[in-house]
Amino acid sequence: MEKELLKLIQTIGNNAEDVSPEQELWDTGILDSLAFITLLEEISVRWHVEIQPTQVPTERWKNVRSITKLLEEKLAEKDVFI
């Protein structure tokens, strides 16, 4: 999942061709508000998970690794309710 998220951010992020899993996404400008909305839409389409950014602390969106962990947690919650 991390590799897929990394590829996704490399595609939608700003100057993100060489982004690493631990690299800060916001402070470096890789993610901006438009790229972030696109990321949320892609997560929804690919993994069928709706994440409301206002309900998640900003540090959870810090880098690819933290986003992967957040997504894994949301998918686990979803499996519990199925």
Side-chain angles (χ1 to χ4, degrees), residues 11-49:
T11 302
I12 64 172
N14 301 303
N15 299 314
E17 298 81 21
D18 298 322
V19 69
S20 69
E22 294 291 331
Q23 187 172 355
E24 170 61 50
L25 299 175
W26 290 94
D27 290 345
T28 59
I30 292 170
L31 280 185
D32 58 16
S33 56
L34 181 58
F36 183 60
I37 297 300
T38 304
L39 175 63
L40 290 175
E41 290 173 355
E42 287 294 322
I43 287 173
S44 175
V45 168
R46 291 177 189 217
W47 289 284
H48 308 286
V49 174

Side-chain angles (χ1 to χ4, degrees), residues 1 49-51 56-57 60 65-81:
M1 182 179 303
V49 174
E50 295 290 329
I51 300 176
V56 178
R60 300 300 304 268
R65 190 146 293 147
S66 63
I67 296 170
T68 300
K69 187 172 180 180
L70 171 64
L71 183 53
E72 288 170 345
E73 290 169 6
K74 293 294 184 182
L75 286 170
E77 288 173 12
K78 183 178 171 185
D79 287 342
V80 169
F81 294 112

